[in-house]
């Protein structure tokens, strides 16, 4: 069954409830950036007849349109039921857009989709036309001769087997679908490339892959190349053993680029291990020397050489040759511990000597294949080719080939040799490359930093990063006035900037972008020492943190290592850290154990046993802590949660621990545990099943330290839950961030309502409340950061049966520049105040601006819905009011350059009323 998603009804269809019961539908959200680092591109579609017009699809940030070569972009999916993009195709003649939802890259932050969306009006409205259980889509091809025929490459579920994968084709514009190629429940199709000469000829790449929370298998015997000669109706496997293209378990992701009917390139992520080569003998002791070394051999080692090894490999300073030999003598450690000390849970992933990227070419329509280069393409893929895998060929020159990886490579001799096209303003991770065959040198590159455009074949690039599409993992705030917002982003580091940020290109002339970078890598959690707001703890993936003084730029690295002889710590991709609310010299950090520093991260002590199930064998660290919370009521009352479903509590600072999750759903990721700030015994937990392809919401509360749990998911729609926040002023008020947006409950989770004004359906990873400003900050994974003022919401419990309620209106500072501009060609500076109010029934309400003696200066009507409402007043008054009131009271008001009169300094009253009730509230122009 199809579903229509026009602008007015989008959110109503995805959330149980309707406008009459959603009291927060008018609560306005503002995007506060940042945009400078942009976000991950997964697809572009360029108008071949006007190449300055194109669409750019961001992995979890929606589809954006430009008709001015990327100078500005407009989002066309704000009204769509998801922002999770995988593939796009456009019929430029009719204006029809097809979106395959669900990211094609199989990374840990690749979000699932809801099938295929179609728009017949350039993105004004969207229709879900099926393949709802596909989850991830790699490519869409529209038949040039018949736009009702569309072929879709379905990758399928990321974390579980499913049947809706392979290649699907519609002959009737999406009304019905036929599965024209199915391989098995673990193998989908990642790419399709059609001949630019004959659209009946297509090549497709199947991909066998499976991700688990603890392991990623990105290759298999069913990864192969297929060909169709009838526009995708039937398919034949081409990459046989006799073809020359690799086969077997090591065949990973394949990207395709077709030059004509017979010439086609295939970019392979070859996961087979490299042949062993003779390694040059290194000077000094090496890690592998210790793996089979006996006790006697170790004790004979030269102390100087051993000390050099310990120093060169950053062993803790206490580990000297003398100390280590003494430990060996006492049998407290063995020689191999000096090797395993350097091999944490990431070692397998980062040190797998696989063949990696290889480029193959066929000159006979896929019958035979030849590798184009002799040497390894080192550094292009490393061990994570699943994240890249796209290739392009210039259809005007078969030897002009481009490979997207790390970095972006170009070949002018058909893949024999390559040259890097990376530049200082281009992100290193590349996913899309479009080549203009009609204008030599014109390229569009889509990467983890958005869109770059070149007109000289990559010698120089323009960065087109207007949209705020950052993928935030975490957000936090300081206590400055105005306060700053901090956050860590996927592959774009850690940043901070002003909470009053407004999107502007002024920084391009001043050279001073409001947000500043703190550190690089995949940005993770941030903690701020609010005693001076200059000391910040932040870091990157797998527990590599640092403490940085923003004033002096002094930085110390923080990555605690296990004791020699112990099992290496396991750190989560997003390792949790927490400054104690009782003393901000104390820093908690989670591995598989809880670590505590009493000296601002300089040294750490283990204060727990392994608080997980013990991990699992795989190439991704698992059995790790994911969340930490310390009660504000008691130092040492700490909760932690893990990626394998355990929640533990200590009431004595780590001396004793108790697991409190046995009655909760098992084997789910603990996305958040929160100790209540209102009741000492209360604790909240959210569980996340995303990594099991389980999208149900799991939200729980306990009133007795986790002995008994109560589900408070209530009417939350299906979407994995990432975070819960308790309001600091009202214990009944809760906020939840899910993979489909933000929800609020006014009654401790008995029912939930969704925020929809100004914020799309987008994954929300983190929430934080700035207590003094009463602002809710939302860290989205795809649309950067949003904020809204929640002061009105915090008074909800006082609103019952009051009909109309006014909320505080901040004063505004008077300016002589109101209604003026320094140049007549510029827009005048016009003031505005927002008037927040609550009504218990929808209808038309009247607004009056009054003097203290009740003279009416201005009046107008506003339409209000049941719940929270907001109306704006521009502080203008009529010339008649100036003459009849202000002039008579000897108050001079000059007409502004825009022809308006504005309120002078003073105290005034705003009145809102209907036929039954009237309320008034003072406000001030200072």
């Amino acid at each position: 069954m199809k579903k229509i998603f026009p602008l007015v009804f989008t959110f109503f269809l995805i959330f149980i409830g309707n406008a009459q019961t959603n009291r927060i539908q008018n609560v306005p959200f503002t995007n506060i950036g940042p945009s400078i680092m942009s976000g991950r591109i997964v697809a572009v579609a360029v108008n071949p007849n006007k190449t300055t017009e194109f669409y750019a699809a961001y992995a979890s940030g929606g589809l954006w349109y430009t008709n001015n070569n990327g100078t500005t972009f407009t989002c066309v999916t704000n009204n769509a039921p998801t922002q999770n993009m995988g593939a796009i195709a456009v019929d430029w003649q009719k204006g029809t857009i097809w979106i395959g939802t669900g990211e094609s890259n199989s990374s840990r932050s690749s979000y699932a989709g809801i099938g295929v969306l179609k728009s017949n009006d350039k993105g004004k409205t969207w229709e879900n036309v099926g393949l709802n259980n596909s989850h991830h889509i790699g490519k869409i091809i529209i038949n040039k001769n018949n736009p009702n025929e569309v072929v879709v490459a379905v990758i399928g579920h990321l974390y579980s087997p499913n049947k809706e994968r392979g290649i699907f084709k519609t002959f009737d514009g999406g009304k019905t679908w036929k599965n024209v190629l199915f391989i098995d429940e673990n193998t989908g199709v990642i790419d399709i490339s059609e001949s630019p000469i004959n659209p009946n000829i297509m090549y497709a790449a199947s991909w066998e892959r499976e991700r688990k929370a603890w392991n990623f298998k990105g290759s298999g015997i069913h990864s192969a190349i297929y060909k169709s000669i009838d526009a995708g109706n039937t398919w034949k496997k081409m990459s046989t053993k006799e073809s020359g293209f690799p086969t077997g378990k090591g065949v990973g992701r394949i990207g395709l680029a077709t030059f004509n009917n017979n010439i086609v390139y295939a970019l392979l992520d070859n996961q087979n291990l490299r042949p062993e080569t003779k390694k040059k003998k290194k000077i000094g002791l090496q890690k592998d020397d210790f793996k089979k070394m006996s006790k006697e051999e170790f004790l004979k080692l030269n102390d100087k050489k051993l000390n050099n090894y310990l120093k060169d490999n950053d062993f803790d300073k206490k580990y000297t040759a003398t100390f280590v030999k003494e430990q060996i003598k006492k049998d407290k450690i063995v020689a191999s511990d000096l090797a395993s000390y350097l091999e944490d849970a990431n070692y397998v992933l980062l040190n797998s000597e696989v063949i990696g990227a290889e480029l193959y070419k066929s000159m006979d329509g896929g019958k035979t294949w030849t590798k184009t280069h002799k040497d390894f393409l080192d550094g292009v893929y490393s061990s994570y080719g699943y994240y890249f895998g796209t290739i392009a060929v210039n259809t005007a020159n078969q030897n002009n080939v481009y490979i997207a990886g790390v970095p972006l490579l170009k070949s002018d001799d058909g893949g024999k040799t390559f040259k890097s096209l990376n530049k200082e303003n281009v992100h290193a991770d590349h996913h899309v490359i479009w080549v203009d065959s009609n204008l030599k040198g014109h390229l569009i590159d889509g990467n983890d930093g958005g869109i770059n455009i070149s007109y000289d074949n990559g010698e120089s690039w323009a960065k087109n990063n207007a949209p705020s599409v950052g993928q935030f993992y975490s957000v936090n705030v300081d206590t400055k006035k105005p306060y700053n917002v901090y956050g860590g982003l996927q592959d774009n580091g850690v940043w901070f900037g002003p909470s009053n940020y407004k999107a502007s290109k002024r920084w391009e002339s001043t050279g001073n972008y409001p947000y500043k970078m703190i550190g690089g890598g995949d940005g993770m959690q941030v903690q701020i020492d609010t005693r001076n707001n200059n000391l910040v703890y932040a870091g990157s993936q797998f527990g590599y943190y640092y403490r940085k003084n923003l004033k002096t730029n002094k930085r110390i690295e923080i990555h605690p290592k296990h004791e020699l002889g112990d099992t290496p710590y396991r750190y989560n991709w997003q390792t949790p850290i927490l400054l104690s609310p009782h003393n901000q010299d104390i820093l908690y950090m989670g591995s598989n154990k809880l670590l505590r520093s009493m000296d601002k991260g300089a040294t750490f002590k283990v204060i727990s046993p392994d608080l997980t199930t013990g991990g699992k064998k795989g190439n991704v660290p698992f059995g790790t802590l994911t969340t930490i919370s310390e009660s504000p009521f008691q130092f040492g009352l700490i909760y932690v949660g893990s990626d394998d479903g355990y929640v533990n509590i200590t009431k004595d600072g780590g001396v004793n621990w108790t697991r409190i999750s046995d009655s909760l759903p098992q084997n789910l990721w603990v996305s958040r545990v929160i100790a209540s700030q209102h009741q000492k015994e209360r604790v909240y937990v959210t569980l996340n099943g995303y990594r099991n392809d389980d999208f149900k919401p799991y939200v729980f509360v306990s009133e007795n330290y986790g002995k008994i749990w109560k589900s408070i998911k209530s009417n939350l729609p299906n979407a994995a839950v990432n975070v819960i926040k308790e309001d600091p002023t009202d214990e009944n008020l809760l906020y939840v961030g899910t993979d489909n947006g933000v929800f609020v409950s006014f009654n401790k989770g008995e029912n939930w309502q969704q925020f929809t004004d100004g914020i799309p359906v987008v994954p929300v990873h983190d929430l934080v409340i700035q207590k003094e400003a009463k602002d809710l900050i939302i860290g989205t994974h795809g649309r950067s950061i949003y904020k809204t003022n929640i002061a009105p919401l915090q008074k909800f419990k006082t609103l019952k049966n009051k009909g109309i309620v006014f909320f505080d209106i901040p004063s505004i500072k008077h300016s002589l520049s109101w209604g003026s501009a320094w140049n007549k060609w510029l827009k005048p500076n016009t003031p505005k105040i927002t008037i927040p109010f609550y009504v218990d029934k929808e209808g038309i309400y009247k607004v009056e601006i009054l003097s203290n003696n009740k003279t009416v200066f201005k009046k107008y009507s506003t339409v209000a819905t049941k719940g929270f409402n907001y109306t704006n007043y521009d502080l203008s008054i009529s010339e008649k009011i100036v003459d009849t009131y202000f002039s008579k009271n000897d108050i001079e008001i000059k007409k502004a350059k825009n022809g308006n009169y504005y309120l002078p300094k003073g105290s005034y009253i705003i009145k809102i009323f209907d036929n039954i009730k009237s309320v008034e509230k003072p406000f001030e122009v200072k």
Side-chain angles (χ1 to χ4, degrees), residues 588-589 592-596 606-611 625 627-629 636-641 647-660:
Y588 297 103
M589 187 170 180
N592 52 311
K593 302 174 181 180
L594 185 62
L595 315 174
R596 183 179 65 199
V606 179
I607 62 168
S608 81
D610 191 331
L611 296 174
L625 298 185
T627 175
I628 308 167
S629 182
L637 174 52
I638 305 167
Y639 299 90
V640 297
V647 181
N648 284 276
I649 181 177
T650 179
K651 296 180 181 179
D652 51 19
V655 177
N656 298 285
W657 288 88
T658 303
R659 189 163 73 239
I660 56 175

Side-chain angles (χ1 to χ4, degrees), residues 345-644:
N346 299 308
Y347 184 81
V348 175
L349 175 66
L350 300 177
N351 292 275
S352 297
E353 286 287 323
V354 298
I355 292 172
E358 291 184 315
L359 183 61
Y360 288 82
K361 183 178 182 180
S362 175
M363 302 286 288
D364 55 9
K367 293 177 184 177
T368 60
W369 298 84
T370 304
K371 193 169 73 168
T372 65
H373 51 96
K374 293 180 180 179
D375 298 329
F376 293 120
L377 296 179
D378 289 324
V380 178
Y381 278 178
S382 187
S383 59
Y384 42 92
Y386 61 83
Y387 193 55
F388 305 105
T390 57
I391 179 176
V393 61
N394 186 342
T395 55
N397 180 353
Q398 65 165 298
N399 293 315
N400 193 197
V401 186
Y402 301 81
I403 289 177
V406 183
L408 178 65
L409 298 182
K410 180 190 76 166
S411 174
D412 290 322
D413 54 14
K416 293 178 183 177
T417 60
F418 292 91
K419 172 187 176 183
S420 170
L421 297 186
N422 267 23
K423 296 295 177 182
E424 65 275 8
N425 66 334
V426 183
H427 198 287
D429 293 359
H430 303 267
H431 304 285
V432 180
I433 183 72
W434 175 86
V435 184
D436 191 341
S437 59
N438 296 314
L439 180 59
K440 188 177 180 180
H442 180 203
L443 308 172
I444 299 178
D445 173 38
N447 51 64
D448 274 4
I451 291 288
N452 286 86
I453 300 175
S454 176
Y455 283 92
D456 53 13
N457 227 341
E459 292 299 318
S460 61
W461 296 90
K463 187 171 179 64
N464 304 83
N465 55 350
S468 292
V469 286
Q471 294 182 305
F472 277 85
Y473 285 115
S474 67
V475 287
N476 211 338
V477 294
D478 62 22
T479 55
K480 288 185 177 180
K481 293 183 179 179
Y483 65 91
N484 290 305
V485 180
Y486 301 72
L489 301 97
Q490 163 63 32
D491 221 359
N492 279 303
V494 179
W495 295 71
F496 78 104
S499 58
N500 56 3
Y501 168 91
K502 293 181 180 178
S504 169
K505 290 191 175 184
R506 181 180 296 275
W507 70 272
E508 293 183 2
S509 61
T510 64
N512 186 24
Y513 189 73
Y515 277 81
K516 308 297 180 186
M517 194 177 197
I518 298 175
D522 291 279
M524 297 300 159
Q525 297 189 5
V526 184
Q527 293 284 294
I528 305 103
D529 187 336
T530 53
R531 293 173 296 189
N532 62 21
N533 292 306
N534 287 323
L535 211 57
V536 173
Y537 299 81
S540 57
Q541 63 270 38
F542 297 127
Y544 287 91
Y545 279 86
Y546 46 83
R547 186 187 77 212
K548 186 172 183 178
N549 188 312
L550 299 181
K551 197 170 184 179
T552 65
N553 277 328
K554 185 179 179 181
R555 167 172 160 161
I556 69 159
E557 302 301 320
I558 299 175
H559 185 70
K561 301 217 50 166
H562 62 286
E563 292 292 318
L564 190 60
D566 288 348
T567 304
Y569 294 147
R570 297 187 300 274
Y571 287 108
N572 191 267
W573 173 257
Q574 187 185 160
T575 297
I577 58 171
L578 177 71
L579 285 177
S580 173
H582 304 281
N583 181 348
Q584 291 187 316
D585 285 347
I586 300 174
L587 174 69
Y588 297 103
M589 187 170 180
S591 58
N592 52 311
K593 302 174 181 180
L594 185 62
L595 315 174
R596 183 179 65 199
S597 171
M598 304 295 285
D599 51 11
K600 302 180 182 179
T603 62
F604 281 85
K605 179 183 178 182
V606 179
I607 62 168
S608 81
D610 191 331
L611 296 174
T612 75
T613 59
K616 289 189 178 183
K617 187 177 180 180
N619 53 24
V620 180
F622 186 72
T624 65
L625 298 185
T626 54
T627 175
I628 308 167
S629 182
E630 183 175 27
S631 171
F633 290 98
Q634 176 187 325
F635 173 70
L637 174 52
I638 305 167
Y639 299 90
V640 297
S642 68
D643 56 9
D644 49 13

Side-chain angles (χ1 to χ4, degrees), residues 671-691:
S671 55
R672 208 62 54 112
V673 57
I674 297 292
S676 172
Q677 54 194 307
H678 296 290
Q679 295 291 333
K680 184 178 178 180
E681 303 82 4
R682 184 179 300 156
V683 58
Y684 295 93
V685 163
T686 59
L687 307 176
N688 187 308
Y690 162 78
R691 293 159 189 85

